[in-house]
Amino acid sequence: MIRQSGQFFPNQTVAIKNKPSLGASSVGFYKPGESFVYDGYIHAEGMVWLSYVGGSGIRRYVAWRKINGKKCVVIKQLITPSYPEQGGFNLELTKDSSLKQFMED
């Protein structure tokens, strides 16, 4: 898992899973207007999955977007950026609330 924290605001209903798999059973849903804080993401089955530990102590996964493809939802707020001094990247919000990646010099 790649460590990165942020707050996720879905613009459509998205499924919560116990595994980063499209075939995994859904354990719940987030709807527009709801949000959660994630602590990392993982690539699996051609998707980028945001991940967090739920109140039960179980790690959960939500599909965010296809890898190199169309976004499923939009992240509107970044809480903790990754650390450029360690070779990471920052995320910058644009006016349309989409994300722009850029490298720090």
Side-chain angles (χ1 to χ4, degrees), residues 7 9 38 71 74-79 90-102:
Q7 189 168 1
F9 295 83
Y38 63 92
K71 294 176 186 174
V74 176
I75 296 175
K76 293 184 178 177
Q77 177 184 6
L78 180 71
I79 294 175
N90 283 334
L91 296 174
E92 178 183 86
L93 297 174
T94 61
K95 290 182 183 177
D96 66 355
S97 296
S98 61
L99 296 177
K100 176 182 174 185
Q101 295 181 5
F102 63 97

Side-chain angles (χ1 to χ4, degrees), residues 7-56:
Q7 189 168 1
F8 177 78
F9 295 83
N11 59 5
Q12 64 188 38
T13 300
V14 292
I16 304 166
K17 312 253 185 184
N18 282 338
K19 294 187 232 180
S21 171
L22 296 171
S25 296
S26 298
V27 296
F29 298 90
Y30 284 105
K31 297 177 181 177
E34 297 179 319
S35 69
F36 66 88
V37 175
Y38 63 92
D39 62 3
Y41 66 93
I42 188 169
H43 294 167
E45 295 185 358
M47 301 292 290
V48 177
W49 297 81
L50 299 177
S51 183
Y52 67 96
V53 176
S56 64

Side-chain angles (χ1 to χ4, degrees), residues 54-94:
S56 64
I58 298 172
R59 182 154 294 278
R60 307 291 190 191
Y61 300 89
V62 173
W64 172 42
R65 64 179 290 166
K66 292 181 182 177
I67 296 172
N68 296 322
K70 183 180 176 187
K71 294 176 186 174
C72 296
V73 290
V74 176
I75 296 175
K76 293 184 178 177
Q77 177 184 6
L78 180 71
I79 294 175
T80 306
S82 54
Y83 301 98
E85 65 274 9
Q86 296 173 2
F89 58 87
N90 283 334
L91 296 174
E92 178 183 86
L93 297 174
T94 61

